Amino acid sequence: MIDIADLNIEYNVFHYQQDFYRVFDSLTERKVLPVIVGGTGMYLDAIVRNYELVDVPEDPELRKELSEKSLEELGEIYLKLKPDLHTKADLLERDRVIRGIEIVLGHQEPKRSELLKGMYPRPEIKPLIIGTTFDRTKVRENIKKRLIERLDEGMLDEVQNLHDSGYSWERLEKLGLEYRWCSLLLQGKIDSKEEMIEKLYIAIGQFAKRQETWFRFMEKNGVKINWLPAVQDKQVRLQSAIELAEKYF
């Protein structure tokens, strides 16, 4: 599932889940063991715990009705429909709030049942989940190393080329932390590359902490994560993973 979408698509967790189900069936039919690596906790959780998602199309009538309301009023409607909203950042953009309301209402019956008919069915998945972690110092070192490597490999040029090919800065800022901060620098909203690197480094570290929180959240909800020893020796971690796999299979 590398290089399967372009910037014309607002790729989300629903698309990921459906694409994974298709790939999973294709691999198992060929007697190939599917392995999911990385990355975003919610996406992994959607596979492991079978989020019941549906692809909700745009509703022109609803959008017309919501267009007359202020961002504050839209936020109140959204929170009333979804009081367990994970991040309040979803309330800062008008289009995002309207889409959120649209999705929540689309998950209600009878719309939901109709939408489910066109979805790829969930295969039987019995995962062995292996987690790896390091001490905070090593995590910070790895974050800085990866960030510098991506910049040295031409990420700023990549972002500039994407903008030059017709994609707005707003669109690029939504692609993730590195794209957002590179876009801000290229727009002159950050004074220097050094400042961008420092602020981006901090933001990625904060994101890593949120990911750890998400995995703990998964465990609290009954997901068994087999944590490898938090040691630097790769061979020790590899051997632990092999032993877990041998017991499972």
Short mmCIF file of all heavy atoms in Angstrom, two decimals, residues 12-43:
data_model
loop_
_atom_site.label_atom_id
_atom_site.label_comp_id
_atom_site.label_asym_id
_atom_site.label_seq_id
_atom_site.Cartn_x
_atom_site.Cartn_y
_atom_site.Cartn_z
N ASN A 12 -8.32 9.08 3.84
CA ASN A 12 -8.63 9.05 5.26
C ASN A 12 -8.65 7.63 5.79
O ASN A 12 -8.34 6.67 5.06
CB ASN A 12 -9.97 9.75 5.53
CG ASN A 12 -11.11 9.13 4.74
OD1 ASN A 12 -11.16 7.92 4.52
ND2 ASN A 12 -12.07 9.95 4.30
N VAL A 13 -9.02 7.47 7.06
CA VAL A 13 -8.97 6.17 7.70
C VAL A 13 -9.95 5.18 7.05
O VAL A 13 -9.68 3.97 7.00
CB VAL A 13 -9.23 6.30 9.22
CG1 VAL A 13 -10.64 6.76 9.50
CG2 VAL A 13 -8.94 4.99 9.93
N PHE A 14 -11.07 5.66 6.53
CA PHE A 14 -12.00 4.78 5.84
C PHE A 14 -11.34 4.18 4.60
O PHE A 14 -11.43 2.96 4.36
CB PHE A 14 -13.27 5.52 5.44
CG PHE A 14 -14.17 4.74 4.52
CD1 PHE A 14 -15.02 3.78 5.03
CD2 PHE A 14 -14.13 4.93 3.15
CE1 PHE A 14 -15.83 3.02 4.18
CE2 PHE A 14 -14.93 4.18 2.30
CZ PHE A 14 -15.78 3.23 2.82
N HIS A 15 -10.70 5.03 3.79
CA HIS A 15 -10.03 4.54 2.58
C HIS A 15 -8.94 3.53 2.94
O HIS A 15 -8.78 2.50 2.29
CB HIS A 15 -9.41 5.70 1.81
CG HIS A 15 -10.40 6.70 1.31
ND1 HIS A 15 -10.27 8.04 1.52
CD2 HIS A 15 -11.58 6.54 0.65
CE1 HIS A 15 -11.30 8.68 0.98
NE2 HIS A 15 -12.11 7.78 0.46
N TYR A 16 -8.19 3.84 4.00
CA TYR A 16 -7.13 2.94 4.43
C TYR A 16 -7.70 1.58 4.82
O TYR A 16 -7.18 0.53 4.43
CB TYR A 16 -6.39 3.55 5.62
CG TYR A 16 -5.36 2.64 6.24
CD1 TYR A 16 -4.09 2.52 5.70
CD2 TYR A 16 -5.67 1.88 7.38
CE1 TYR A 16 -3.14 1.67 6.26
CE2 TYR A 16 -4.73 1.03 7.95
CZ TYR A 16 -3.48 0.94 7.40
OH TYR A 16 -2.56 0.10 7.95
N GLN A 17 -8.78 1.60 5.60
CA GLN A 17 -9.38 0.35 6.06
C GLN A 17 -9.86 -0.50 4.87
O GLN A 17 -9.58 -1.70 4.80
CB GLN A 17 -10.54 0.66 7.00
CG GLN A 17 -11.13 -0.56 7.70
CD GLN A 17 -12.38 -0.21 8.47
OE1 GLN A 17 -13.36 0.27 7.90
NE2 GLN A 17 -12.37 -0.44 9.78
N GLN A 18 -10.56 0.14 3.94
CA GLN A 18 -11.06 -0.60 2.78
C GLN A 18 -9.93 -1.12 1.90
O GLN A 18 -9.96 -2.28 1.44
CB GLN A 18 -11.98 0.31 1.96
CG GLN A 18 -13.33 0.58 2.61
CD GLN A 18 -14.27 -0.63 2.54
OE1 GLN A 18 -14.78 -0.94 1.48
NE2 GLN A 18 -14.47 -1.30 3.67
N ASP A 19 -8.91 -0.31 1.68
CA ASP A 19 -7.76 -0.75 0.88
C ASP A 19 -7.04 -1.90 1.55
O ASP A 19 -6.61 -2.85 0.90
CB ASP A 19 -6.79 0.41 0.65
CG ASP A 19 -7.30 1.42 -0.36
OD1 ASP A 19 -8.18 1.04 -1.17
OD2 ASP A 19 -6.83 2.56 -0.36
N PHE A 20 -6.91 -1.81 2.88
CA PHE A 20 -6.24 -2.89 3.60
C PHE A 20 -7.02 -4.20 3.49
O PHE A 20 -6.43 -5.26 3.29
CB PHE A 20 -6.06 -2.53 5.08
CG PHE A 20 -5.54 -3.68 5.88
CD1 PHE A 20 -4.20 -4.01 5.87
CD2 PHE A 20 -6.41 -4.49 6.61
CE1 PHE A 20 -3.73 -5.10 6.58
CE2 PHE A 20 -5.95 -5.57 7.32
CZ PHE A 20 -4.60 -5.88 7.31
N TYR A 21 -8.32 -4.14 3.65
CA TYR A 21 -9.12 -5.36 3.55
C TYR A 21 -8.91 -6.05 2.20
O TYR A 21 -8.78 -7.28 2.11
CB TYR A 21 -10.61 -5.04 3.74
CG TYR A 21 -11.00 -4.65 5.14
CD1 TYR A 21 -12.25 -4.07 5.39
CD2 TYR A 21 -10.15 -4.86 6.23
CE1 TYR A 21 -12.62 -3.72 6.68
CE2 TYR A 21 -10.52 -4.50 7.51
CZ TYR A 21 -11.76 -3.93 7.73
OH TYR A 21 -12.13 -3.58 9.00
N ARG A 22 -8.88 -5.25 1.14
CA ARG A 22 -8.67 -5.83 -0.20
C ARG A 22 -7.28 -6.46 -0.31
O ARG A 22 -7.13 -7.58 -0.81
CB ARG A 22 -8.83 -4.75 -1.27
CG ARG A 22 -10.25 -4.20 -1.41
CD ARG A 22 -10.35 -3.23 -2.58
NE ARG A 22 -11.68 -2.65 -2.68
CZ ARG A 22 -12.04 -1.50 -2.12
NH1 ARG A 22 -11.15 -0.79 -1.44
NH2 ARG A 22 -13.27 -1.04 -2.26
N VAL A 23 -6.27 -5.75 0.15
CA VAL A 23 -4.91 -6.26 0.08
C VAL A 23 -4.75 -7.49 0.97
O VAL A 23 -4.09 -8.46 0.59
CB VAL A 23 -3.90 -5.16 0.49
CG1 VAL A 23 -2.49 -5.73 0.63
CG2 VAL A 23 -3.90 -4.03 -0.53
N PHE A 24 -5.36 -7.47 2.14
CA PHE A 24 -5.28 -8.60 3.06
C PHE A 24 -5.81 -9.87 2.40
O PHE A 24 -5.18 -10.93 2.43
CB PHE A 24 -6.08 -8.29 4.33
CG PHE A 24 -6.03 -9.37 5.37
CD1 PHE A 24 -5.05 -9.38 6.34
CD2 PHE A 24 -6.99 -10.39 5.37
CE1 PHE A 24 -5.01 -10.39 7.30
CE2 PHE A 24 -6.96 -11.39 6.32
CZ PHE A 24 -5.97 -11.39 7.30
N ASP A 25 -6.98 -9.77 1.79
CA ASP A 25 -7.55 -10.94 1.11
C ASP A 25 -6.67 -11.41 -0.04
O ASP A 25 -6.48 -12.61 -0.24
CB ASP A 25 -8.95 -10.60 0.59
CG ASP A 25 -10.03 -10.82 1.63
OD1 ASP A 25 -9.73 -11.46 2.66
OD2 ASP A 25 -11.17 -10.37 1.42
N SER A 26 -6.12 -10.46 -0.79
CA SER A 26 -5.26 -10.81 -1.91
C SER A 26 -4.01 -11.54 -1.44
O SER A 26 -3.59 -12.54 -2.05
CB SER A 26 -4.85 -9.53 -2.67
OG SER A 26 -3.90 -9.82 -3.67
N LEU A 27 -3.43 -11.09 -0.34
CA LEU A 27 -2.22 -11.73 0.18
C LEU A 27 -2.51 -13.13 0.73
O LEU A 27 -1.78 -14.08 0.45
CB LEU A 27 -1.60 -10.86 1.28
CG LEU A 27 -0.99 -9.53 0.83
CD1 LEU A 27 -0.55 -8.71 2.03
CD2 LEU A 27 0.19 -9.76 -0.11
N THR A 28 -3.58 -13.23 1.53
CA THR A 28 -3.88 -14.53 2.13
C THR A 28 -4.27 -15.56 1.07
O THR A 28 -3.99 -16.75 1.22
CB THR A 28 -5.00 -14.40 3.17
OG1 THR A 28 -6.14 -13.75 2.60
CG2 THR A 28 -4.52 -13.59 4.37
N GLU A 29 -4.91 -15.12 0.01
CA GLU A 29 -5.25 -16.04 -1.09
C GLU A 29 -3.99 -16.61 -1.73
O GLU A 29 -3.97 -17.73 -2.22
CB GLU A 29 -6.09 -15.32 -2.14
CG GLU A 29 -7.53 -15.08 -1.71
CD GLU A 29 -8.29 -14.23 -2.72
OE1 GLU A 29 -7.68 -13.89 -3.77
OE2 GLU A 29 -9.46 -13.89 -2.46
N ARG A 30 -2.90 -15.82 -1.70
CA ARG A 30 -1.63 -16.25 -2.27
C ARG A 30 -0.70 -16.86 -1.22
O ARG A 30 0.49 -17.06 -1.47
CB ARG A 30 -0.93 -15.07 -2.95
CG ARG A 30 -1.64 -14.62 -4.22
CD ARG A 30 -0.91 -13.48 -4.90
NE ARG A 30 -1.18 -12.18 -4.29
CZ ARG A 30 -0.25 -11.29 -3.98
NH1 ARG A 30 1.02 -11.55 -4.20
NH2 ARG A 30 -0.60 -10.13 -3.46
N LYS A 31 -1.25 -17.13 -0.03
CA LYS A 31 -0.51 -17.73 1.07
C LYS A 31 0.65 -16.84 1.52
O LYS A 31 1.72 -17.33 1.93
CB LYS A 31 0.02 -19.12 0.69
CG LYS A 31 -1.02 -20.06 0.12
CD LYS A 31 -2.14 -20.33 1.11
CE LYS A 31 -3.16 -21.31 0.54
NZ LYS A 31 -4.32 -21.52 1.45
N VAL A 32 0.45 -15.54 1.45
CA VAL A 32 1.45 -14.58 1.90
C VAL A 32 0.99 -13.99 3.23
O VAL A 32 -0.17 -13.60 3.37
CB VAL A 32 1.64 -13.44 0.87
CG1 VAL A 32 2.62 -12.39 1.40
CG2 VAL A 32 2.12 -14.00 -0.46
N LEU A 33 1.89 -13.93 4.21
CA LEU A 33 1.54 -13.40 5.53
C LEU A 33 1.51 -11.87 5.48
O LEU A 33 2.52 -11.23 5.22
CB LEU A 33 2.57 -13.86 6.56
CG LEU A 33 2.39 -13.29 7.98
CD1 LEU A 33 1.10 -13.81 8.59
CD2 LEU A 33 3.58 -13.64 8.85
N PRO A 34 0.36 -11.26 5.72
CA PRO A 34 0.29 -9.79 5.74
C PRO A 34 0.98 -9.23 6.99
O PRO A 34 0.78 -9.73 8.10
CB PRO A 34 -1.21 -9.48 5.80
CG PRO A 34 -1.89 -10.78 5.40
CD PRO A 34 -0.98 -11.86 5.87
N VAL A 35 1.79 -8.21 6.80
CA VAL A 35 2.46 -7.53 7.91
C VAL A 35 2.19 -6.04 7.79
O VAL A 35 2.47 -5.44 6.76
CB VAL A 35 3.99 -7.79 7.89
CG1 VAL A 35 4.66 -7.04 9.03
CG2 VAL A 35 4.28 -9.28 7.98
N ILE A 36 1.62 -5.46 8.84
CA ILE A 36 1.37 -4.01 8.86
C ILE A 36 2.47 -3.37 9.71
O ILE A 36 2.70 -3.78 10.84
CB ILE A 36 0.01 -3.68 9.50
CG1 ILE A 36 -1.10 -4.55 8.92
CG2 ILE A 36 -0.32 -2.21 9.32
CD1 ILE A 36 -2.43 -4.36 9.61
N VAL A 37 3.14 -2.36 9.15
CA VAL A 37 4.23 -1.70 9.84
C VAL A 37 3.90 -0.22 10.03
O VAL A 37 3.43 0.44 9.10
CB VAL A 37 5.55 -1.84 9.06
CG1 VAL A 37 6.69 -1.17 9.81
CG2 VAL A 37 5.87 -3.30 8.80
N GLY A 38 4.18 0.31 11.22
CA GLY A 38 3.88 1.73 11.47
C GLY A 38 2.44 1.83 11.93
O GLY A 38 1.80 0.83 12.20
N GLY A 39 2.01 2.89 11.92
CA GLY A 39 2.48 4.26 11.88
C GLY A 39 1.45 5.00 12.69
O GLY A 39 1.56 5.08 13.91
N THR A 40 0.36 5.48 12.08
CA THR A 40 -0.65 6.24 12.81
C THR A 40 -1.53 5.30 13.63
O THR A 40 -2.14 4.38 13.09
CB THR A 40 -1.53 7.04 11.82
OG1 THR A 40 -0.69 7.90 11.06
CG2 THR A 40 -2.55 7.87 12.55
N GLY A 41 -1.62 5.57 14.93
CA GLY A 41 -2.33 4.67 15.83
C GLY A 41 -3.78 4.44 15.44
O GLY A 41 -4.27 3.30 15.48
N MET A 42 -4.48 5.49 15.04
CA MET A 42 -5.89 5.35 14.68
C MET A 42 -6.07 4.41 13.50
O MET A 42 -7.00 3.60 13.48
CB MET A 42 -6.51 6.71 14.37
CG MET A 42 -7.98 6.62 13.95
SD MET A 42 -8.71 8.18 13.48
CE MET A 42 -8.84 8.98 15.06
N TYR A 43 -5.18 4.51 12.50
CA TYR A 43 -5.31 3.66 11.33
C TYR A 43 -5.11 2.19 11.70
O TYR A 43 -5.84 1.30 11.25
CB TYR A 43 -4.30 4.09 10.26
CG TYR A 43 -4.72 5.30 9.46
CD1 TYR A 43 -5.20 6.45 10.10
CD2 TYR A 43 -4.64 5.31 8.07
CE1 TYR A 43 -5.60 7.56 9.38
CE2 TYR A 43 -5.04 6.42 7.34
CZ TYR A 43 -5.52 7.55 8.00
OH TYR A 43 -5.92 8.64 7.28
#
